[in-house]
Structures are given as C-alpha cells and as structure tokens.
Amino acid sequence: MTSSFLERIDTLFMNNKYSEVVVFFTENIDKISNQKDKIRTYHFAAKSYYHLGINKEAFDCIQKVINSINEISSTPKEIIEINLDYGKILRRLGQKKKAKKIYQEIIKNYEEYLDDELNAKILHNLANIHLEIGDFDRSKDYYHQALEIDQKTDNLKGQSLSYSGLGSLFFYLGQFEEAIEYYQKSLEFRKKTQDHIGEALILLNIGSSYSNILNQKKADKYLDESLKIFQQYNHDRGIQEVQITRARMNFNLNNYPLVIESLEFLEESEAPILNREQMELVNILIESLIRNEELVRAEKLIERSITPLEKAELEIDSSLYEEYGKLKQLLSLIKFQLDKVEETLQVLEELEEIATNHNDFQSLVVVFFSKANVHYQIDSLDDAMLFAKKAETIAKRIQHSSLPLILDILFRINVRISNFSECIKLLKQLKRISGSDSSTIELAIKSFQIFANEKIKIMSKNSLQEMDRFQLPITILQIIVGGILQQSLKFSEILELKSVTQDLKNNRAGILIPYFLQASFLLDEENSEMDFSNAISENNYVETIYSNVLLKRVSSKELKEIISNWKDQEEFTLHQSLICLDTILYGVLYDLISKENFKLNFLEESITDEYKDIVKIKQELLIKIVDIKKPEDFSYESKTSMGCMVSAIYKNILPKIYEIEGITQEKLKILLVLLSELIIRTLVMLFVR
C-alpha cells in the first residue's frame, strides 16, 4: 500500500496536480504505518499546500517533517531540501529573519553537499527575502548569481524562477515594462518545463503589470489565460488572486460595479479577516460600495470585519493598525452619509483615542480634519474651527499631505463667519502649497464656488475698518454678488451695509458707493434713500465720477472731457484704472460715448508692469459685456496665466447666473460688471499683491 501510495502522490505532484495531492494525502495519511514514508508524504503535502497558497496547512505539515528529521535517518541532501522548503513557507508567513537564518545555516553546515542546483536554490530564496524587505540591490545581485548557475547547468526550472524574481523586482520598483520583459522570459521556461501552475502565476503577474499601467485590454487577456489554468487545476488561491488583480485594476479605472463583482467572495467568507492583505482588499471593496452608493452594505461589511479584531482585544499590531484605521475612518464616513451624526462622532472619538495611544500623529490629523468636516456640515462652526485648527497645527509640524484640505475647510469656515482677512491669508497659503498653474486655477475657482453658494454675513464696522483700500471693495462685492447669485439679497441689507461703512476713516466709504448703486439697480429699488455726500471728495475723485455716471448726472460732453483729462494724469493706481474702465462701460451703455473709448492706451503707460495684463483683461471683459444679450452668449478665453483663471471662474459661475429667474438684459450686464470687478480684484489680492 505504501509503495503504490507514494508513487501515486509523487506522480500527482510532478504533474502539478497539487489539489489532488492534498485530497489524496488527507484521505490516506492515517493508513501509512512506515514512519519514513509518512514523513515523506507530509513533505509532499507541505509543498502542495505551499503551491496552492494554503500557508497554515503548509506550515503544519512541514513542522511535522522538521520535528522528525532525526528519526528517519535522512541524508544530508534530503535535510537540505526539507529546510529549503521550510524557509520558503516561513517567508510566506512573514517570518523572513527566521527563513534567512535557515538558509545561512544550510550554507554553514552543509557546504560540502551543496551542488550547483542547491546553491542556485539558496541564492534564489535569499533574493526573494531581500526583495520583500526592500533591499533591491542585494536581491538583484542574488537573482543574477542564481541565474548564472542555472544557465551554466542548463537548469530550465531554475532559470524560470530567476527571471520571475527579476520581473517581481522591477514590479516592486514600479518599472512595469521591464517587469513584463522578465516575466515573458520566465513564461517561456515555464512552458518548456510544463510547469502549468507556474505558468498561470506568471500570466497573472503579466496581467497585473498591465493593469498597473491601465492597459485593460492586455491585462484582461493575460488574466483570462491565467484564470483558465487555475480553474483547470482547482487552484482556489490562484482564482482568487486573479479576481483581486481585476478588482484593483477596475478600482483604478473607477469601474466600481466590476470591483464589487470581483471581491464579493470577501462578504461571503465566514473566516475572520486578520491579515493585512485581506484587510486591504476589504477596504477596496468598501470604498467601491460607497462610490456605488451601497452604503448599508458597506456599513455591514466594515462592522463584520472590525468585530473579530475588537473581540480578540488586539492592540492592533503594526501590520494591521493602518488598515484597521482606514476601516474605522470609512465607517465614520458612511455613518455620516446615512445621517447618523452621533454615531459618526463616536467612531471618530474611538479613532482619536487609538491614535493618541499609538502616538500616531498622521492619523490624528485625519481624525481632527474629519471632526471639523462633520461639525461644519451640521453648522457647529465653533467646534469645526477648533478641530480644523488642531489638524492644521499637527499637519504643519509633520508636513502632512492633507494640509491643503485642512486649509480649505478653514477657508470655508471663515467664509461662513465672514472673516475675510483670514480667508485671504488661507488662500495665499494654499497658493504657496499648490505650486502648479492648474492647481492655482482650481484654487481660484474654488474660492468663487464657495462664495456663490455660501450666505455671507454683513460684517461689523470694526472688521471693515481693519481692511485696506483694496480688501474692502472685495468684501462688499462678495456680499452683493453672492447675494444676487443666491437670489437672497435684500435692499435693506444694502442700506445696512452702507450705514456700517459710512463712517470709515480716510473717506473709504466713497469707493463703495458705485457698488451699492448697482446693487439697488439689480434689486429694482429707488436709490433716493442713499446719501452720496460722503462720496464727493478729492480722495474719491474717480469713484465720484463713476457714481455720477451711474446716476446719469453727467452729459456726453462732460464725460468726454473727463476722459480727455485722464490722459494728462501722470500716474494711475490699479484701483483707479479699474474704476475708470467701469465708468467708460456705463458711458457706453448710456450712449454717452462710443466703445472706442475703451482703448485707453494712456493707462498702459501710467500703471506698473505687473498690472498691465490685469487692466487688459478688464478691458476685454467689459467690451464683451457691452454686446451681450443673454447669459449663454458670454464667454472669455485667454492664454495668459491670469486670463486662464478668469476664464475658468466664469465657466463655473455662469451656470449660477442661468438659474436667476427673469433676469433682464440690463440687469445681466450690471451683474457681469460687478462679477468682473470681484474676480479681477480677488485674483490680484491672492496672486499678485
């Protein structure tokens, strides 16, 4: 019985039928009476479990073999082979130091028995260990040494392993094209040696490489070929690995339903998830369920995945801590989306406690940011500010990558409480962090998206008093334009604004009168209630002219004379230049002057170089506004950096204007003038001054 049994199991193993070896072993191991044959059978079973990726059972079997080596009078070569396999299984279980020690002891104790084939195997296994601990140079050196020996001895199987290892090395380095080249060489040798499971593994690796460069067509081709072989040999772990690779690829391609289809087996498994790889996959599945709006299903999966860890009262060891934290973070996100605010904050409290106990400042930043976001969403702005500030302090200290997000929520909180000065500081910080032109444009758009959707409070006199001559108009424009876009502004608020600003020092109230006037036009209100006496002064010369033109108190002749006098002025500030252009616009709209007056060449000579592009953009915008008949007609394109930002902001704000019911052509032009003023002034404040 024993002889025929060993022949049978040996034949199955040599033909890569590892599942059949395992079944045959399980059914017959207790029938073997000869101890040496029994140990040999355990060795076959250990190697088969290893190839099937069933590591615990592989370890149990090889442990029995190791414990019995001395009892069965093994030859030195048999002892070497057993220890090599023992080392491979230990490495698979993460015990790399112990595995390395075993290989070193083989070299030390059995040097005289090591032939080329065994030396190559040791080198290959050492290469694998150094690859997995990130020592890529030494790993590469060991692979090449092993390959050189195997080429000398014409060991095809050894060459296939070395090429495969080199492929994995380049895969780890993110050099996927090079990885594919080595995997293809390994594939040739796997086919020659009829190593079908090995062939499937290499096909899987090639498919995984293509999936990482998002070449879905080629990835699917190799994954399909791999799956076919794994299914032929009932290789469950291999089938699962194909599903996992597809899931990761589809996740990167945002194909969330396909990710869910690939990873559904994780929901069906009754075994607790207690290793990092499985938990990482669970995180991918959960994120896909969330993005596919299957929140309840995601919530159940998280709670099922977390429970075994918490029941075991684990300290969340270093190998699982990060993934566990992600699960809890996702759970807080889901509960918040399901309007379970109290439960959300409870989960975040638990996360804060765990992160504090581990001195995990990275996670504390995320927790505080999440708390700030929750409190912001429920209008608890004091708490939102408190946690956002905590997140900012730690993020700056440890240079956390989420700092832009934290500054963004601080910006939104300050918009809500109308702390404009702080908003400017925050946006300038974001500008320094963002760096690229595209990020700058996104930042500029973001600032306008927020004010267009947030109700901005009227500020106190003291707050306005702190602002300079450039900041003040931006704040008033934000309140007016934001209120009009939200269709929430009332004339009483305009009067209140004027009242709050009328006693500002240095006659700064006068520069705001044109904005109040245009707001009253938009609201169909008579402006007789406004007192314009404080608008008339030497300091507010251009604003006074602008206000008088708006009120139609200036004749065509007078306006032409005023523009002619401007040409003799030696110097214009940017603020004066912008007001001059707005004055000309209304002169054109009221048929007092022609569009030719927009060509104010003297402005280019009288302002500094840094502002010339800005004045040109303002000119171009106002010329377009003159001829517009409906919102859909308006567009602005530019190739300059500042012009690109203006264009991008308009594209994002115009849909809000489309939503305003019954807006007339006249009101549309007034609103676009105010919007152009706000955009230009804000961008100058953020990116030029």
Side-chain angles (χ1 to χ4, degrees):
M1 165 6 185
T2 302
S3 176
S4 60
F5 173 82
L6 286 174
E7 287 175 6
R8 172 67 175 155
I9 205 168
D10 184 50
T11 302
L12 290 172
F13 184 83
M14 294 303 293
N15 287 297
N16 307 314
K17 295 183 178 181
Y18 306 122
S19 295
E20 292 184 40
V21 170
V22 168
V23 171
F24 205 68
F25 159 77
T26 305
E27 292 175 350
N28 294 283
I29 186 64
D30 292 333
K31 300 174 185 177
I32 304 173
S33 56
N34 183 286
Q35 181 67 1
K36 185 168 184 176
D37 290 340
K38 197 165 193 171
I39 295 306
R40 284 188 63 197
T41 305
Y42 271 114
H43 192 189
F44 276 118
K47 291 189 289 184
S48 297
Y49 278 125
Y50 174 85
H51 284 295
L52 291 169
I54 306 173
N55 300 321
K56 183 180 181 303
E57 285 78 358
F59 179 77
D60 290 342
C61 288
I62 201 67
Q63 196 73 50
K64 288 185 181 294
V65 178
I66 290 292
N67 292 339
S68 304
I69 284 180
N70 295 329
E71 298 176 21
I72 58 175
S73 304
S74 302
T75 66
K77 189 164 184 178
E78 286 174 336
I79 293 172
I80 293 169
E81 291 283 3
I82 291 167
N83 277 284
L84 282 172
D85 291 327
Y86 184 36
K88 285 163 64 176
I89 293 168
L90 287 171
R91 179 178 62 81
R92 180 79 67 78
L93 290 169
Q95 297 183 41
K96 298 177 182 63
K97 287 184 179 178
K98 192 170 181 180
K100 185 177 179 181
K101 185 178 179 182
I102 287 170
Y103 298 138
Q104 290 170 337
E105 287 177 353
I106 291 173
I107 295 170
K108 178 182 176 182
N109 299 327
Y110 297 95
E111 185 178 3
E112 61 185 291
Y113 300 102
L114 295 177
D115 56 20
D116 286 337
E117 182 182 353
L118 289 172
N119 271 317
K121 281 184 179 181
I122 293 170
L123 287 167
H124 188 269
N125 282 289
L126 286 170
N128 287 336
I129 290 172
H130 284 282
L131 173 63
E132 290 172 6
I133 63 175
D135 187 353
F136 300 120
D137 288 338
R138 188 170 293 184
S139 174
K140 187 176 182 180
D141 185 47
Y142 281 138
Y143 280 132
H144 278 295
Q145 287 184 50
L147 181 60
E148 187 178 340
I149 294 171
D150 287 327
Q151 286 174 333
K152 184 180 71 174
T153 59
D154 199 27
N155 183 341
L156 302 186
K157 184 175 181 180
Q159 289 178 67
S160 74
L161 292 172
S162 293
Y163 281 125
S164 171
L166 287 165
S168 296
L169 186 147
F170 283 103
F171 184 95
Y172 272 92
L173 292 171
Q175 299 175 28
F176 300 111
E177 298 288 353
E178 289 85 348
I180 290 167
E181 286 183 23
Y182 281 107
Y183 285 143
Q184 289 287 7
K185 289 179 180 178
S186 177
L187 185 60
E188 292 175 21
F189 286 103
R190 304 272 180 165
K191 288 180 177 179
K192 287 178 183 178
T193 57
Q194 296 187 326
D195 179 3
H196 301 301
I197 298 298
E199 181 183 344
L201 287 169
I202 295 301
L203 289 167
L204 170 63
N205 290 342
I206 296 173
S208 183
S209 300
Y210 277 118
S211 76
N212 273 278
I213 56 178
L214 300 183
N215 188 332
Q216 189 174 11
K217 186 176 180 181
K218 285 193 174 181
D220 280 334
K221 172 182 178 293
Y222 285 99
L223 292 175
D224 285 342
E225 290 179 26
S226 175
L227 182 61
K228 186 177 179 181
I229 298 172
F230 283 134
Q231 288 173 334
Q232 181 183 343
Y233 285 89
N234 298 315
H235 197 299
D236 293 336
R237 177 61 185 267
I239 293 168
Q240 195 176 97
E241 286 296 326
V242 172
Q243 291 173 311
I244 290 166
T245 302
R246 282 196 200 283
R248 286 187 170 128
M249 176 176 66
N250 285 312
F251 186 81
N252 291 330
L253 293 168
N254 302 326
N255 294 330
Y256 303 118
L258 292 178
V259 176
I260 295 166
E261 184 182 322
S262 296
L263 296 181
E264 278 178 330
F265 67 88
L266 290 170
E267 291 180 283
E268 298 162 3
S269 173
E270 295 182 3
I273 296 168
L274 294 174
N275 68 67
R276 184 188 178 100
E277 185 183 43
Q278 282 183 309
M279 200 172 279
E280 181 185 346
L281 293 172
V282 167
N283 274 320
I284 291 173
L285 175 56
I286 290 164
E287 285 194 48
S288 299
L289 288 168
I290 292 171
R291 296 184 190 192
N292 208 43
E293 299 183 358
E294 297 185 54
L295 299 181
V296 175
R297 188 175 165 188
E299 184 183 27
K300 286 180 181 177
L301 179 56
I302 292 176
E303 289 174 341
R304 186 182 76 78
S305 303
I306 287 176
T307 301
L309 292 170
E310 295 177 334
K311 278 186 177 178
E313 297 182 353
L314 299 178
E315 289 187 9
I316 314 301
D317 64 55
S318 58
S319 66
L320 292 176
Y321 173 71
E322 184 179 343
E323 299 303 326
Y324 175 81
K326 286 179 186 175
L327 283 176
K328 295 287 275 188
Q329 187 68 34
L330 287 171
L331 183 60
S332 70
L333 174 65
I334 292 168
K335 287 188 178 295
F336 187 68
Q337 289 186 15
L338 291 171
D339 293 325
K340 300 178 180 179
V341 177
E342 291 300 321
E343 291 182 36
T344 302
L345 291 172
Q346 183 181 342
V347 172
L348 290 172
E349 283 292 331
E350 292 168 4
L351 271 174
E352 182 182 345
E353 184 180 351
I354 294 169
T356 301
N357 291 339
H358 282 78
N359 291 320
D360 182 0
F361 297 110
Q362 299 277 344
S363 295
L364 278 174
V365 170
V366 176
V367 171
F368 288 139
F369 171 74
S370 299
K371 283 187 172 184
N373 197 46
V374 170
H375 285 292
Y376 175 81
Q377 296 295 336
I378 61 175
D379 291 326
S380 178
L381 297 182
D382 287 342
D383 286 332
M385 181 72 82
L386 172 68
F387 289 114
K389 283 287 186 184
K390 284 185 176 183
E392 180 191 25
T393 301
I394 301 174
K396 284 182 174 178
R397 190 171 77 236
I398 66 174
Q399 298 183 321
H400 197 279
S401 61
S402 67
L403 183 58
L405 293 174
I406 297 166
L407 295 176
D408 174 59
I409 196 169
L410 280 167
F411 172 81
R412 285 186 281 135
I413 294 167
N414 280 285
V415 167
R416 289 277 288 276
I417 62 176
S418 299
N419 189 346
F420 177 75
S421 298
E422 189 64 24
C423 288
I424 291 294
K425 291 176 186 175
L426 289 162
L427 286 171
K428 285 189 172 183
Q429 286 187 64
L430 281 164
K431 169 62 172 65
R432 286 195 295 272
I433 294 170
S434 64
S436 68
D437 287 341
S438 61
S439 297
T440 301
I441 290 173
E442 288 173 14
L443 174 59
I445 292 170
K446 184 187 300 177
S447 67
F448 281 87
Q449 284 175 326
I450 290 170
F451 93 78
N453 289 283
E454 300 281 8
K455 178 66 176 173
I456 302 174
K457 295 187 301 183
I458 294 174
M459 302 178 71
S460 68
K461 178 182 172 182
N462 288 339
S463 297
L464 295 170
Q465 188 73 61
E466 295 173 1
M467 297 181 187
D468 64 26
R469 195 178 177 86
F470 211 88
Q471 288 178 316
L472 186 61
I474 298 175
T475 302
I476 301 304
L477 283 165
Q478 280 188 315
I479 295 171
I480 293 173
V481 176
I484 294 294
L485 289 176
Q486 297 168 58
Q487 302 181 64
S488 62
L489 188 67
K490 298 175 183 176
F491 187 60
S492 60
E493 292 176 312
I494 297 299
L495 292 176
E496 184 184 348
L497 264 177
K498 184 178 179 301
S499 173
V500 169
T501 59
Q502 66 184 0
D503 295 327
L504 295 179
K505 296 176 183 177
N506 302 324
N507 297 302
R508 285 189 292 145
I511 68 178
L512 306 177
I513 292 296
Y515 304 139
F516 296 149
L517 279 171
Q518 289 170 90
S520 69
F521 295 160
L522 288 167
L523 295 170
D524 292 320
E525 296 288 344
E526 294 294 330
N527 44 64
S528 57
E529 295 181 61
M530 292 192 183
D531 175 15
F532 301 113
S533 59
N534 61 354
I536 302 170
S537 73
E538 261 185 56
N539 291 334
N540 297 325
Y541 171 68
V542 291
E543 292 90 347
T544 302
I545 294 170
Y546 186 17
S547 297
N548 284 324
V549 170
L550 284 168
L551 292 165
K552 300 183 180 179
R553 295 176 179 174
V554 177
S555 68
S556 172
K557 181 179 178 182
E558 288 172 330
L559 184 56
K560 288 176 182 176
E561 187 176 330
I562 288 168
I563 294 171
S564 178
N565 290 336
W566 283 346
K567 294 177 182 177
D568 296 328
Q569 191 166 326
E570 290 185 4
E571 185 177 344
F572 270 86
T573 65
L574 176 61
H575 169 76
Q576 290 173 326
S577 300
L578 297 177
I579 294 295
C580 288
L581 288 168
D582 284 334
T583 303
I584 290 169
L585 172 97
Y586 278 98
V588 174
L589 291 179
Y590 293 163
D591 293 323
L592 300 175
I593 54 177
S594 69
K595 284 196 292 185
E596 291 299 313
N597 285 277
F598 277 118
K599 297 178 180 178
L600 298 177
N601 295 329
F602 66 89
L603 284 180
E604 293 185 13
E605 298 171 3
S606 59
I607 60 174
T608 59
D609 289 341
E610 64 179 331
Y611 294 141
K612 285 181 180 178
D613 282 344
I614 296 162
V615 171
K616 184 178 179 182
I617 290 169
K618 178 79 171 181
Q619 286 174 311
E620 293 170 348
L621 284 170
L622 295 183
I623 290 169
K624 284 181 174 290
I625 290 170
V626 168
D627 298 322
I628 193 172
K629 291 183 171 56
K630 53 186 179 180
E632 293 83 352
D633 293 340
F634 187 82
S635 65
Y636 179 74
E637 300 295 336
S638 174
K639 292 183 179 179
T640 66
S641 177
M642 185 68 72
C644 285
M645 281 189 275
V646 172
S647 174
I649 292 167
Y650 266 109
K651 285 176 182 176
N652 279 268
I653 294 293
L654 283 174
K656 295 288 295 183
I657 298 177
Y658 303 160
E659 295 171 8
I660 300 176
E661 295 181 6
I663 187 167
T664 64
Q665 188 182 128
E666 181 183 2
K667 288 183 179 179
L668 173 62
K669 291 180 179 182
I670 295 170
L671 180 55
L672 287 173
V673 170
L674 289 172
L675 183 57
S676 72
E677 182 77 348
L678 175 57
I679 291 172
I680 293 289
R681 284 180 177 273
T682 303
L683 293 182
V684 170
M685 175 63 74
L686 294 177
F687 306 117
V688 179
R689 295 189 82 202

